[in-house]
Amino acid sequence: MMPARFDCLVVGGGPAGLVAALYLARFRRSVCVVDAGASRAALIPRSHNVPGFVHGLSGTELIARMSAQLGELAVVRVEAEVTALQRRDGGFQAIWNGGAHEATTVILASGIVDIHPPFEQWRAAVADGLLRYCPVCDAFEAIGRRIGIVGPLRRAAGKALFLRSYSREVTLLATGEDHDESARSELAEAGVEIVSAPDLRLRRRVGGLEAVLACGRTMQFDVVYPAMGAEVRSQLAVSLGAEHSGEGFLKVDDHLRTSVDGLYGIGDVVTDLHQISVAFGHAALAACTIHHSLPRRLA
């Protein structure tokens, strides 16, 4: 049975949102997690950056384990999309499934949605480890392989230079015009090949991916990293006037508080360092801050 007002509403059921709910529930706070079922973490075929899992684990397994842990606690979980959020009586009113629900505080853990290259089979390629979005997460597994980076040069240059530490064969497939001679010079000095590919398409091949260029040229890669940006799911906070960057990332203080009192942002919605460990840390800090901001709960 739902309370008249939750102590905290958590929007998003990925690693950040689930850890925040875990902490708050163990603080004996009333918590509701609303999740639309589109966590970016669920796409991870196997992560080797999560401490304690020597052979790694998949994103779906991680979420399942965390969900089971949360299932032992009094947390309301709803599969839905929060379509509106507004201030109400010193707290917030959120709308989902056509109904209005109130919370004293809100944690936005809604993450991002990657912009994918032209490739109908992108989801299967991600599952097979051929298309990857996070070199910080898995470049170690790409050591010595033929690596392609797809995206505008200004976005892709940093990722290409980072990956050059792991392989001699790194190619940047530039999808737009960019005359940043400084970046081009740095890439050339590092031994990164730059190929103009404004109308590039990707397709599967045995053991990897193939880039098909408009000129008819094809290039083979063992793994491809898109660097085409992402949509930041911060609209609910922005609608309340929360400060944000030009790309939509929420601006938060040292305790993950946004510029809107009682509204917190954690995980990918506030940082472009898309790491599970960062999400965990954000969640713990935000949950502790919220607990101490609420009236004392006596047993």
Side-chain angles (χ1 to χ4, degrees):
M1 185 174 180
M2 292 193 184
R5 173 179 282 205
F6 292 101
D7 289 325
C8 185
L9 167 65
V10 180
V11 182
L18 294 181
V19 169
L22 173 67
Y23 269 69
L24 286 164
R26 289 175 58 81
F27 290 146
R28 305 188 71 192
R29 299 297 184 178
S30 58
V31 188
C32 178
V33 177
V34 181
D35 179 53
S39 171
R40 185 175 186 258
L43 296 173
I44 300 172
R46 184 154 295 272
S47 173
H48 296 270
N49 278 3
V50 180
F53 293 90
V54 178
H55 303 294
L57 79 167
S58 70
T60 53
E61 182 183 355
L62 173 64
I63 292 173
R65 285 172 174 265
M66 295 173 67
S67 296
Q69 187 175 5
L70 204 59
E72 300 294 319
L73 300 165
V75 175
V76 176
R77 298 189 64 182
V78 180
E79 187 175 332
E81 179 182 0
V82 176
T83 55
L85 185 66
Q86 58 189 17
R87 299 305 303 264
R88 184 180 177 89
D89 300 333
F92 300 87
Q93 183 183 78
I95 306 296
W96 68 79
N97 289 343
H101 309 270
E102 295 191 12
T104 302
T105 63
V106 172
I107 293 178
L108 200 63
S110 44
I112 64 171
V113 179
D114 293 294
I115 297 173
H116 306 292
F119 186 28
E120 291 183 3
Q121 295 177 298
W122 71 266
R123 191 178 293 273
V126 169
D128 292 338
L130 303 177
L131 192 68
R132 304 182 179 191
Y133 286 83
C134 180
V136 173
C137 306
D138 54 33
F140 190 84
E141 282 70 56
I143 290 175
R145 305 180 75 184
R146 291 174 295 177
I147 301 173
I149 300 94
V150 178
L153 188 141
R154 61 185 176 82
R155 285 187 178 276
K159 188 171 284 191
L161 290 168
F162 179 85
L163 286 161
R164 183 62 181 82
S165 298
Y166 295 87
S167 175
R168 294 176 180 271
E169 297 184 71
V170 177
T171 303
L172 193 160
L173 300 162
T175 58
E177 291 294 328
D178 195 305
H179 303 290
D180 187 337
E181 295 306 321
S182 176
R184 288 180 174 274
S185 177
E186 189 174 8
L187 288 163
E189 185 177 344
V192 175
E193 181 183 7
I194 303 173
V195 176
S196 178
D199 297 310
L200 164 144
R201 291 184 297 108
L202 294 177
R203 64 189 182 194
R204 299 280 300 242
R205 68 171 185 82
V206 177
L209 296 178
E210 189 170 63
V212 182
L213 310 185
C215 63
R217 179 186 178 189
T218 60
M219 302 183 71
Q220 286 75 42
F221 299 100
D222 298 316
V223 60
V224 171
Y225 284 87
M228 307 183 75
E231 175 196 349
V232 185
R233 294 170 172 159
S234 58
Q235 297 91 337
L236 292 173
V238 172
S239 72
L240 292 175
E243 294 182 7
H244 57 282
S245 71
E247 292 185 307
F249 292 105
L250 295 180
K251 294 183 178 181
V252 294
D253 66 11
D254 291 344
H255 291 268
L256 288 311
R257 294 175 290 213
T258 72
S259 59
V260 177
D261 187 38
L263 178 64
Y264 295 70
I266 62 175
D268 290 353
V269 78
V270 304
T271 176
D272 60 0
L273 183 58
H274 310 310
Q275 296 294 294
I276 292 171
S277 56
V278 171
F280 286 174
H282 282 184
L285 184 53
C288 289
T289 303
I290 287 172
H291 174 63
H292 290 298
S293 75
L294 294 170
R296 190 182 304 277
R297 188 191 192 287
L298 302 177

